[in-house]
Amino acid sequence: MPVNETAEVVLSVDNIVTQFNTAEGTVHAVNGVSFDVHAGELLGVVGESGCGKSVTMMSLVKLVPMPPAKIVKGSAILDSKDLIQMDLDELQKVRGAHIGFIFQDPMTSLNPVLTVGYQLTEALRLHKRMSKKAARARAVEILELVGIPLADKRLNDFPHQFSGGMRQRVMIAIALSCDPKVLIADEPTTALDVTIQAQILDLVKRLREELGMAIVWVTHDLGVVASLADRVMVMYSGFIVERADVEQLYAEPKHPYTMALLATLPELEGERATRLESIEGQPPDQLRAPTSCPFEPRCSYAFDRCSRENPLLKFVAEGHEVACWWDVEKNTPREAN
């Protein structure tokens, strides 16, 4: 579904650059990422492991370990305030209350020695100033919302007493408990089997319809994004290389990397290939400062300019941006059009 451009921008991220100082040198993890998230929108962020998806999102509220990480520059505006400029005490009031996070592995994200009820009510008492009784009532309500039966009794249980899918529902409940404006889901279904994954995706669709909050869904699974997102942002080596409405991106991908990712998806209908496609080569060494197109060594469309300059993200059609010197449709350099 095309994003409603008249909807309020609830989160505006501009030129985030995050680096890691290591014994081997400086890792250029995020290289000038900018995006807006509109009210009620689900923005999908896709790319292979190590492309900077998670580091970008954690940089917004300084969840990256500093050191070795350093947010070199950029801004993230929420409620007219720049999250990047906030100190940790100020951010403590924002995390959970205004931006909710769902992490990849619920077993390591939940504290194993505290009851689920304590972990749910902690944020409510901190951010909403609720009494113990009111926080418990809200915790029961939110657990029922995410589909956990006998919620009142299960508040006294510990994380290990829940299945993997139920733990992820608990994580979603914690993230939703304070009614945040933006929910960031960082590969929340990766550790789950396909049956439980489908249940969690159905749950997110239902909650989004009921609550209408903005969601950023980070994943390497293009199939998941196709069924969830309004817009999709494709990342590679710390850069955004393509961004478009979900239907447009899947029907008419314009960046060679996006095309290669889509080609790796298995065919469910028609004649099947004898083996799945793969993307040849390796991601670039991020210890080197980026001065050329990062996908150039693996790209079948690359020409001399690609090795000299890194293209900027530009509109090539309505609502469709791409960072590539080559027009794959016309099979000619883009600047010559």
CSV table of all heavy atoms in Angstrom, one decimal, residues 16-61:
chain,number,residue,atom,x,y,z
A,16,ILE,N,22.6,9.6,9.5
A,16,ILE,CA,23.2,8.9,10.6
A,16,ILE,C,24.5,8.2,10.1
A,16,ILE,O,24.5,7.4,9.2
A,16,ILE,CB,22.2,7.8,11.2
A,16,ILE,CG1,21.1,8.5,11.9
A,16,ILE,CG2,23.0,6.9,12.2
A,16,ILE,CD1,21.4,9.2,13.2
A,17,VAL,N,25.6,8.5,10.8
A,17,VAL,CA,26.9,7.8,10.6
A,17,VAL,C,27.3,7.2,11.9
A,17,VAL,O,27.5,7.9,12.9
A,17,VAL,CB,27.9,8.8,10.0
A,17,VAL,CG1,29.3,8.1,9.9
A,17,VAL,CG2,27.5,9.4,8.7
A,18,THR,N,27.5,5.9,11.8
A,18,THR,CA,28.0,5.1,13.0
A,18,THR,C,29.2,4.3,12.7
A,18,THR,O,29.2,3.6,11.7
A,18,THR,CB,26.9,4.2,13.6
A,18,THR,OG1,25.8,5.0,13.9
A,18,THR,CG2,27.4,3.5,14.9
A,19,GLN,N,30.2,4.4,13.5
A,19,GLN,CA,31.5,3.7,13.2
A,19,GLN,C,31.9,2.9,14.5
A,19,GLN,O,31.5,3.3,15.6
A,19,GLN,CB,32.6,4.7,12.8
A,19,GLN,CG,32.3,5.4,11.5
A,19,GLN,CD,33.3,6.5,11.2
A,19,GLN,OE1,34.2,6.8,12.0
A,19,GLN,NE2,33.2,7.1,10.0
A,20,PHE,N,32.7,1.9,14.3
A,20,PHE,CA,33.2,1.1,15.4
A,20,PHE,C,34.8,1.2,15.4
A,20,PHE,O,35.4,0.8,14.3
A,20,PHE,CB,32.8,-0.4,15.3
A,20,PHE,CG,31.3,-0.6,15.6
A,20,PHE,CD1,30.3,-0.3,14.7
A,20,PHE,CD2,30.9,-1.0,16.9
A,20,PHE,CE1,29.0,-0.5,15.0
A,20,PHE,CE2,29.6,-1.2,17.2
A,20,PHE,CZ,28.6,-1.0,16.2
A,21,ASN,N,35.4,1.6,16.5
A,21,ASN,CA,36.8,1.6,16.5
A,21,ASN,C,37.3,0.3,17.1
A,21,ASN,O,37.0,-0.1,18.2
A,21,ASN,CB,37.3,2.7,17.4
A,21,ASN,CG,37.0,4.1,16.8
A,21,ASN,OD1,37.2,4.3,15.6
A,21,ASN,ND2,36.4,5.0,17.6
A,22,THR,N,38.0,-0.5,16.3
A,22,THR,CA,38.5,-1.8,16.7
A,22,THR,C,40.0,-1.9,16.6
A,22,THR,O,40.7,-0.9,16.0
A,22,THR,CB,37.9,-2.9,15.8
A,22,THR,OG1,38.5,-2.8,14.4
A,22,THR,CG2,36.4,-2.8,15.7
A,23,ALA,N,40.6,-3.0,17.0
A,23,ALA,CA,42.1,-3.1,16.9
A,23,ALA,C,42.5,-3.2,15.5
A,23,ALA,O,43.6,-2.8,15.2
A,23,ALA,CB,42.5,-4.4,17.7
A,24,GLU,N,41.7,-3.7,14.6
A,24,GLU,CA,42.0,-3.7,13.2
A,24,GLU,C,41.9,-2.4,12.5
A,24,GLU,O,42.4,-2.2,11.4
A,24,GLU,CB,41.2,-4.8,12.5
A,24,GLU,CG,41.5,-6.2,12.9
A,24,GLU,CD,40.9,-6.6,14.2
A,24,GLU,OE1,39.9,-5.9,14.6
A,24,GLU,OE2,41.4,-7.5,14.9
A,25,GLY,N,41.1,-1.5,13.0
A,25,GLY,CA,40.8,-0.2,12.4
A,25,GLY,C,39.4,0.2,12.6
A,25,GLY,O,38.7,-0.3,13.4
A,26,THR,N,38.9,1.2,11.9
A,26,THR,CA,37.6,1.8,12.0
A,26,THR,C,36.6,1.1,11.1
A,26,THR,O,36.8,1.0,9.8
A,26,THR,CB,37.6,3.3,11.7
A,26,THR,OG1,38.4,4.0,12.6
A,26,THR,CG2,36.2,3.9,11.8
A,27,VAL,N,35.6,0.5,11.6
A,27,VAL,CA,34.6,-0.2,10.8
A,27,VAL,C,33.5,0.8,10.5
A,27,VAL,O,32.9,1.4,11.4
A,27,VAL,CB,33.9,-1.4,11.6
A,27,VAL,CG1,32.8,-2.0,10.8
A,27,VAL,CG2,35.0,-2.4,11.9
A,28,HIS,N,33.2,1.1,9.2
A,28,HIS,CA,32.2,2.0,8.7
A,28,HIS,C,30.9,1.3,8.6
A,28,HIS,O,30.5,0.8,7.5
A,28,HIS,CB,32.7,2.6,7.4
A,28,HIS,CG,34.0,3.3,7.5
A,28,HIS,ND1,34.1,4.7,7.8
A,28,HIS,CD2,35.3,2.9,7.4
A,28,HIS,CE1,35.4,5.0,7.8
A,28,HIS,NE2,36.1,3.9,7.6
A,29,ALA,N,30.2,1.2,9.7
A,29,ALA,CA,29.0,0.4,9.8
A,29,ALA,C,27.7,1.0,9.2
A,29,ALA,O,27.0,0.4,8.5
A,29,ALA,CB,28.7,0.0,11.2
A,30,VAL,N,27.5,2.3,9.4
A,30,VAL,CA,26.4,3.0,8.9
A,30,VAL,C,26.9,4.3,8.3
A,30,VAL,O,27.6,5.1,8.9
A,30,VAL,CB,25.3,3.4,10.0
A,30,VAL,CG1,24.2,4.1,9.4
A,30,VAL,CG2,24.9,2.1,10.7
A,31,ASN,N,26.6,4.6,7.0
A,31,ASN,CA,27.2,5.6,6.2
A,31,ASN,C,26.2,6.6,5.7
A,31,ASN,O,26.0,6.7,4.5
A,31,ASN,CB,28.0,5.0,5.1
A,31,ASN,CG,29.1,4.0,5.6
A,31,ASN,OD1,29.9,4.4,6.3
A,31,ASN,ND2,29.0,2.8,5.2
A,32,GLY,N,25.6,7.4,6.6
A,32,GLY,CA,24.7,8.5,6.1
A,32,GLY,C,23.3,8.0,5.8
A,32,GLY,O,22.8,8.4,4.7
A,33,VAL,N,22.7,7.3,6.7
A,33,VAL,CA,21.3,6.8,6.4
A,33,VAL,C,20.3,7.9,6.9
A,33,VAL,O,20.3,8.4,8.0
A,33,VAL,CB,21.1,5.5,7.2
A,33,VAL,CG1,19.6,5.1,7.2
A,33,VAL,CG2,21.9,4.4,6.6
A,34,SER,N,19.3,8.1,6.0
A,34,SER,CA,18.2,9.1,6.2
A,34,SER,C,16.9,8.5,5.8
A,34,SER,O,16.8,7.8,4.8
A,34,SER,CB,18.4,10.4,5.4
A,34,SER,OG,19.7,11.0,5.7
A,35,PHE,N,15.9,8.7,6.7
A,35,PHE,CA,14.5,8.2,6.3
A,35,PHE,C,13.5,8.8,7.3
A,35,PHE,O,13.9,9.3,8.3
A,35,PHE,CB,14.4,6.6,6.4
A,35,PHE,CG,14.7,6.1,7.8
A,35,PHE,CD1,13.7,5.8,8.7
A,35,PHE,CD2,16.0,5.8,8.2
A,35,PHE,CE1,13.9,5.3,9.9
A,35,PHE,CE2,16.3,5.2,9.4
A,35,PHE,CZ,15.2,5.0,10.3
A,36,ASP,N,12.3,8.8,6.8
A,36,ASP,CA,11.1,9.3,7.6
A,36,ASP,C,10.2,8.1,7.8
A,36,ASP,O,10.1,7.3,7.0
A,36,ASP,CB,10.4,10.4,6.9
A,36,ASP,CG,11.2,11.7,6.8
A,36,ASP,OD1,12.1,11.9,7.7
A,36,ASP,OD2,10.9,12.6,6.0
A,37,VAL,N,9.5,8.1,9.0
A,37,VAL,CA,8.5,7.2,9.3
A,37,VAL,C,7.2,7.9,9.6
A,37,VAL,O,7.2,8.8,10.4
A,37,VAL,CB,8.9,6.3,10.5
A,37,VAL,CG1,7.8,5.2,10.7
A,37,VAL,CG2,10.2,5.6,10.3
A,38,HIS,N,6.1,7.6,8.8
A,38,HIS,CA,4.9,8.3,8.9
A,38,HIS,C,4.0,7.5,9.9
A,38,HIS,O,4.1,6.3,10.1
A,38,HIS,CB,4.2,8.4,7.6
A,38,HIS,CG,4.9,9.2,6.6
A,38,HIS,ND1,4.6,10.5,6.2
A,38,HIS,CD2,6.0,8.9,5.8
A,38,HIS,CE1,5.4,10.9,5.3
A,38,HIS,NE2,6.3,10.0,5.1
A,39,ALA,N,3.0,8.3,10.5
A,39,ALA,CA,2.1,7.7,11.4
A,39,ALA,C,1.3,6.6,10.7
A,39,ALA,O,0.8,6.8,9.6
A,39,ALA,CB,1.1,8.8,11.9
A,40,GLY,N,1.2,5.4,11.4
A,40,GLY,CA,0.4,4.3,10.9
A,40,GLY,C,1.2,3.5,9.8
A,40,GLY,O,0.6,2.5,9.3
A,41,GLU,N,2.4,3.9,9.4
A,41,GLU,CA,3.1,3.2,8.4
A,41,GLU,C,3.9,2.0,8.9
A,41,GLU,O,4.4,2.1,10.0
A,41,GLU,CB,4.0,4.2,7.7
A,41,GLU,CG,5.0,3.6,6.6
A,41,GLU,CD,6.0,4.6,6.1
A,41,GLU,OE1,6.3,5.6,6.8
A,41,GLU,OE2,6.6,4.3,5.0
A,42,LEU,N,4.1,1.0,8.1
A,42,LEU,CA,5.1,0.0,8.4
A,42,LEU,C,6.2,0.1,7.3
A,42,LEU,O,5.9,-0.2,6.1
A,42,LEU,CB,4.4,-1.4,8.4
A,42,LEU,CG,5.3,-2.5,9.0
A,42,LEU,CD1,4.5,-3.6,9.7
A,42,LEU,CD2,6.3,-3.1,8.1
A,43,LEU,N,7.3,0.4,7.7
A,43,LEU,CA,8.5,0.6,6.9
A,43,LEU,C,9.4,-0.7,7.0
A,43,LEU,O,9.8,-1.0,8.1
A,43,LEU,CB,9.3,1.8,7.3
A,43,LEU,CG,10.7,2.0,6.5
A,43,LEU,CD1,10.4,2.3,5.0
A,43,LEU,CD2,11.5,3.1,7.2
A,44,GLY,N,9.6,-1.4,5.9
A,44,GLY,CA,10.4,-2.6,6.0
A,44,GLY,C,11.8,-2.2,5.6
A,44,GLY,O,12.1,-1.4,4.7
A,45,VAL,N,12.8,-2.8,6.4
A,45,VAL,CA,14.2,-2.5,6.2
A,45,VAL,C,14.9,-3.9,5.9
A,45,VAL,O,14.9,-4.7,6.8
A,45,VAL,CB,14.9,-1.8,7.4
A,45,VAL,CG1,16.4,-1.5,7.1
A,45,VAL,CG2,14.2,-0.5,7.7
A,46,VAL,N,15.4,-4.1,4.7
A,46,VAL,CA,15.9,-5.4,4.3
A,46,VAL,C,17.4,-5.3,3.8
A,46,VAL,O,17.9,-4.2,3.5
A,46,VAL,CB,15.1,-6.0,3.2
A,46,VAL,CG1,13.6,-6.2,3.6
A,46,VAL,CG2,15.1,-5.2,1.9
A,47,GLY,N,18.0,-6.4,3.8
A,47,GLY,CA,19.4,-6.5,3.4
A,47,GLY,C,20.1,-7.7,4.1
A,47,GLY,O,19.6,-8.2,5.1
A,48,GLU,N,21.2,-8.1,3.5
A,48,GLU,CA,21.9,-9.3,4.1
A,48,GLU,C,22.5,-9.0,5.4
A,48,GLU,O,22.7,-7.8,5.8
A,48,GLU,CB,22.9,-9.9,3.1
A,48,GLU,CG,24.0,-8.9,2.7
A,48,GLU,CD,24.8,-9.4,1.5
A,48,GLU,OE1,25.4,-10.5,1.6
A,48,GLU,OE2,24.7,-8.8,0.5
A,49,SER,N,22.9,-10.0,6.2
A,49,SER,CA,23.5,-9.8,7.5
A,49,SER,C,24.8,-8.9,7.4
A,49,SER,O,25.6,-9.1,6.4
A,49,SER,CB,23.9,-11.2,8.1
A,49,SER,OG,22.8,-12.0,8.3
A,50,GLY,N,24.9,-8.0,8.3
A,50,GLY,CA,26.1,-7.1,8.3
A,50,GLY,C,25.9,-5.8,7.5
A,50,GLY,O,26.9,-5.1,7.3
A,51,CYS,N,24.7,-5.6,6.9
A,51,CYS,CA,24.5,-4.4,6.0
A,51,CYS,C,24.3,-3.2,6.8
A,51,CYS,O,24.2,-2.1,6.2
A,51,CYS,CB,23.4,-4.7,5.0
A,51,CYS,SG,21.8,-4.7,5.7
A,52,GLY,N,24.1,-3.2,8.1
A,52,GLY,CA,23.9,-2.0,8.9
A,52,GLY,C,22.5,-1.8,9.4
A,52,GLY,O,22.2,-0.8,10.0
A,53,LYS,N,21.6,-2.7,9.2
A,53,LYS,CA,20.1,-2.5,9.5
A,53,LYS,C,20.0,-2.3,11.0
A,53,LYS,O,19.4,-1.3,11.5
A,53,LYS,CB,19.3,-3.7,9.1
A,53,LYS,CG,19.4,-4.2,7.7
A,53,LYS,CD,18.5,-5.3,7.3
A,53,LYS,CE,18.7,-6.6,8.1
A,53,LYS,NZ,20.0,-7.2,7.8
A,54,SER,N,20.5,-3.3,11.8
A,54,SER,CA,20.3,-3.3,13.2
A,54,SER,C,21.1,-2.1,13.9
A,54,SER,O,20.6,-1.4,14.8
A,54,SER,CB,20.7,-4.6,13.9
A,54,SER,OG,19.9,-5.6,13.4
A,55,VAL,N,22.3,-1.9,13.4
A,55,VAL,CA,23.1,-0.8,14.0
A,55,VAL,C,22.5,0.5,13.8
A,55,VAL,O,22.5,1.4,14.7
A,55,VAL,CB,24.5,-0.9,13.4
A,55,VAL,CG1,25.4,0.3,13.9
A,55,VAL,CG2,25.3,-2.1,13.8
A,56,THR,N,21.9,0.7,12.6
A,56,THR,CA,21.1,2.0,12.3
A,56,THR,C,20.0,2.2,13.4
A,56,THR,O,19.9,3.3,14.0
A,56,THR,CB,20.5,1.9,10.9
A,56,THR,OG1,21.6,1.9,10.0
A,56,THR,CG2,19.7,3.2,10.7
A,57,MET,N,19.2,1.2,13.6
A,57,MET,CA,18.1,1.3,14.5
A,57,MET,C,18.5,1.5,15.9
A,57,MET,O,18.0,2.3,16.7
A,57,MET,CB,17.1,0.1,14.4
A,57,MET,CG,16.6,-0.1,13.0
A,57,MET,SD,15.8,1.5,12.3
A,57,MET,CE,16.0,1.2,10.6
A,58,MET,N,19.6,0.8,16.3
A,58,MET,CA,20.0,0.9,17.7
A,58,MET,C,20.8,2.2,17.9
A,58,MET,O,20.8,2.7,19.1
A,58,MET,CB,20.9,-0.3,18.1
A,58,MET,CG,20.1,-1.6,18.2
A,58,MET,SD,21.1,-2.9,19.0
A,58,MET,CE,22.3,-3.3,17.7
A,59,SER,N,21.3,2.8,16.9
A,59,SER,CA,22.0,4.1,17.0
A,59,SER,C,21.0,5.2,17.4
A,59,SER,O,21.4,6.2,18.0
A,59,SER,CB,22.7,4.4,15.7
A,59,SER,OG,23.8,3.6,15.4
A,60,LEU,N,19.7,5.0,16.9
A,60,LEU,CA,18.7,6.1,17.2
A,60,LEU,C,18.6,6.4,18.6
A,60,LEU,O,18.3,7.5,19.0
A,60,LEU,CB,17.4,5.7,16.5
A,60,LEU,CG,17.4,5.3,15.0
A,60,LEU,CD1,16.0,5.1,14.6
A,60,LEU,CD2,18.0,6.5,14.2
A,61,VAL,N,18.7,5.3,19.5
A,61,VAL,CA,18.5,5.5,20.9
A,61,VAL,C,19.7,5.1,21.7
A,61,VAL,O,19.7,4.8,22.9
A,61,VAL,CB,17.2,4.8,21.4
A,61,VAL,CG1,16.0,5.5,21.0
A,61,VAL,CG2,17.2,3.4,21.0
